[in-house]
Amino acid sequence: HVQLVESGGGSVQAGGSLRLSCAASDTVVVMGWFRQSPGKEREDVARIYPSSGRTRYADSMKGRFTISHDNVKNTMFLQMNNLTPEDTAVYYCAASRLSGDSVAIGDFGYRGQGTQVTVS
């Protein structure tokens, strides 16, 4: 079982930035972030393969969000810039020991508790 501990959410004004962190208790093949807000469908944000550093972003996140991973600390980060109210959501960290870009991040085998991001 992989435990994921998130931190870094909060409230920010439009145009501001936040950095989310997700520490994993064990090695995994892929990690990612997805978000969920009331009345909206769950949305993939970005994923990263720690061993290779390969990343993939949802189209709407490209250019504003940056995903990274510290292999020493086994911690994933999401740098979010130029935030808008539409980015308001609960952001979840997720991880999988299986590969496959075809799997939605929200369907990964492990997920964190979620962290609220509010942009006003």
Side-chain angles (χ1 to χ4, degrees), residues 4-7 33-34 90-93 111-116:
L4 302 172
V5 179
E6 304 172 22
S7 61
W33 298 93
F34 69 96
V90 178
Y91 285 70
Y92 294 89
C93 164
R111 67 168 62 177
Q113 77 280 5
T115 186
Q116 177 70 46

Side-chain angles (χ1 to χ4, degrees), residues 3 16 23 38 43 57 65-67 70-71 80-81 94 111 119:
Q3 291 185 321
E43 183 177 25
Y57 295 86
F65 291 6
T66 302
I67 191 170
D70 183 327
N71 288 343
M80 304 185 293
N81 297 328
R111 67 168 62 177
V119 186

